[in-house]
Amino acid sequence: MDILALKYLAMSSGSDSILILDPYGDFAQLKGLASELRIKILELVHAGPRNVNDISRTLNLPQSTIATNIMILEKAGLIRTETSKGRKGTQKMCFPVFREIVIRFQDGRQVDADDSIQVEMPVGLYTQFHVSAPCGLCTKESIIGYLDVPDSFLDPARMKAGLIWFEKGYLEYKFPNNSLYKDKPLKGIEISAELSSEVPGTNKEWLSDITLWVNQVEVGTWTSPGDYGDRRGKYTPEWWKLEGSQYGLLKHWRITPAGTYVDGVRISEVTIDDIDISSHRSITIGMGIKDSADHVGGINIFGRGFGNYDQDIILRLTF
């Protein structure tokens, strides 16, 4: 993961972003965390911006020691600093970059063949979000946090989510860029997910323009025809009321050298070259509803344990 990119991400979105670390690749960030003192500094900064003197007094340690460890944290992209006027000259203020830091180990759902690599990402394992109510998320057993409260999307239980919904905004996921480790040219990228519109209750004729971004490039929009609740989804648990969204449509987005397709229908001219896969350590997938969409009809994202397809979000690279 590019450290400069992490800094830009946090500065543009505030401290509600979430960092997911690859234990086999993100060594700079892991080194930054490999110190009890630096963890304490992160904890203090997370509670509110602090300057070096404040941190030194709170931890009862020399300023030089604090400054050295802050430098390590800043280099790792885990905090950011700003110089501002203080009572006596200038002071360096420290700010958190990430609200949460997660170390993710592979869970056995990665498929590697000669001509393709497939990774399945749990729908709750997003790294960034910006959503508006009505919104919510739930596991196979219960609601997570509170309905229609966007801050509930920060709840650690989101990692077990099987259904996520919101009216406007987006979720962003980071996948490993496994194409960097293949000696064959990349031929296509496919993203598949079970999706529907979102309306209080259900309405099979409720249009919604669902947009997909890859590496911050808008690759195209698919219009969902409705929000389905005429029958229980094949995997939707019994506790979930029939008045709620039950299942979606399994959509396959494919980005090729000739353009972007949804279920074989060309929807945009964006190609693999446009998203510049080779210059990124990760592949960022964004999914959501733009404020400017013609049909702002919300989105349901179904994962394992909900809907008609027992899968999360799948990214497949073909060579």
Side-chain angles (χ1 to χ4, degrees):
M1 190 176 294
D2 190 299
I3 294 176
L4 292 177
L6 293 179
K7 289 183 179 178
Y8 172 78
L9 180 67
M11 290 175 68
S12 64
S13 62
S15 60
D16 280 345
S17 54
I18 301 155
L19 173 63
I20 295 182
L21 296 177
D22 174 3
Y24 298 102
D26 294 325
F27 300 120
Q29 289 81 16
L30 291 170
K31 181 180 178 181
L33 295 170
S35 160
E36 184 178 353
L37 172 56
R38 291 195 286 275
I39 294 295
K40 288 180 178 178
I41 294 173
L42 282 173
E43 196 171 29
L44 286 173
V45 172
H46 183 269
R50 299 288 191 102
N51 64 33
V52 174
N53 290 338
D54 291 337
I55 298 172
S56 176
R57 284 194 298 268
T58 301
L59 298 180
N60 194 27
L61 288 170
Q63 291 184 18
S64 58
T65 300
I66 298 301
T68 298
N69 283 275
I70 285 174
M71 188 181 303
I72 294 172
L73 289 169
E74 189 175 18
K75 186 177 179 181
L78 298 174
I79 65 170
R80 63 182 178 87
T81 62
E82 293 180 5
T83 301
S84 62
K85 291 184 178 180
R87 293 180 179 178
K88 298 179 180 180
T90 60
Q91 61 179 352
K92 179 179 282 190
M93 297 297 295
C94 303
F95 298 84
V97 173
F98 300 100
R99 173 88 179 225
E100 296 179 25
I101 300 174
V102 177
I103 298 176
R104 180 173 185 260
F105 293 91
Q106 293 296 335
D107 58 5
R109 296 180 186 172
Q110 179 165 319
V111 178
D112 189 348
D114 286 342
D115 296 323
S116 68
I117 299 177
Q118 175 177 304
V119 178
E120 185 172 355
M121 182 70 68
V123 298
L125 204 56
Y126 43 83
T127 54
Q128 268 206 100
F129 73 91
H130 180 75
V131 301
S132 64
C135 61
L137 60 174
C138 59
T139 70
K140 290 185 290 185
E141 292 80 27
S142 63
I143 298 289
I144 296 172
Y146 301 94
L147 293 177
D148 300 333
V149 177
D151 283 349
S152 290
F153 280 61
L154 291 168
D155 193 310
R158 72 183 186 280
M159 296 182 188
K160 298 180 180 179
L163 175 62
I164 299 177
W165 66 94
F166 53 91
E167 183 184 41
K168 292 185 295 185
Y170 66 89
L171 297 181
E172 189 172 275
Y173 301 85
K174 283 191 181 293
F175 288 79
N177 185 3
N178 291 317
S179 69
L180 298 176
Y181 313 110
K182 297 286 283 188
D183 56 1
K184 296 181 179 181
L186 185 63
K187 185 171 66 174
I189 299 174
E190 183 178 312
I191 300 102
S192 68
E194 185 176 353
L195 307 169
S196 78
S197 309
E198 162 56 21
V199 62
T202 62
N203 187 336
K204 66 178 181 180
E205 296 180 353
W206 189 262
L207 300 180
S208 188
D209 295 334
I210 297 175
T211 298
L212 189 79
W213 294 265
V214 178
N215 288 346
Q216 284 75 52
V217 175
E218 182 178 328
V219 300
T221 297
W222 166 71
T223 300
S224 169
D227 183 358
Y228 304 104
D230 56 307
R231 54 182 171 78
R232 186 171 296 279
K234 182 177 179 181
Y235 296 99
T236 301
E238 291 294 327
W239 72 268
W240 183 249
K241 294 180 180 180
L242 282 170
E243 292 81 4
S245 307
Q246 292 293 318
Y247 62 91
L249 302 175
L250 187 62
K251 308 310 296 180
H252 297 271
W253 308 69
R254 184 166 175 78
I255 306 163
T256 75
T260 298
Y261 301 77
V262 173
D263 296 338
V265 177
R266 194 168 189 264
I267 62 167
S268 82
E269 298 179 355
V270 176
T271 68
I272 287 181
D273 289 341
D274 293 327
I275 56 180
D276 194 19
I277 292 295
S278 62
S279 65
H280 296 271
R281 288 274 310 278
S282 60
I283 299 175
T284 302
I285 304 297
M287 193 176 295
I289 312 294
K290 297 191 295 183
D291 289 347
S292 60
D294 291 335
H295 305 101
V296 180
I299 183 174
N300 278 283
I301 306 175
F302 296 85
R304 286 186 176 269
F306 273 84
N308 283 343
Y309 302 90
D310 196 25
Q311 71 162 67
D312 287 295
I313 299 172
I314 292 178
L315 172 72
R316 181 180 296 110
L317 307 178
T318 55
F319 302 90

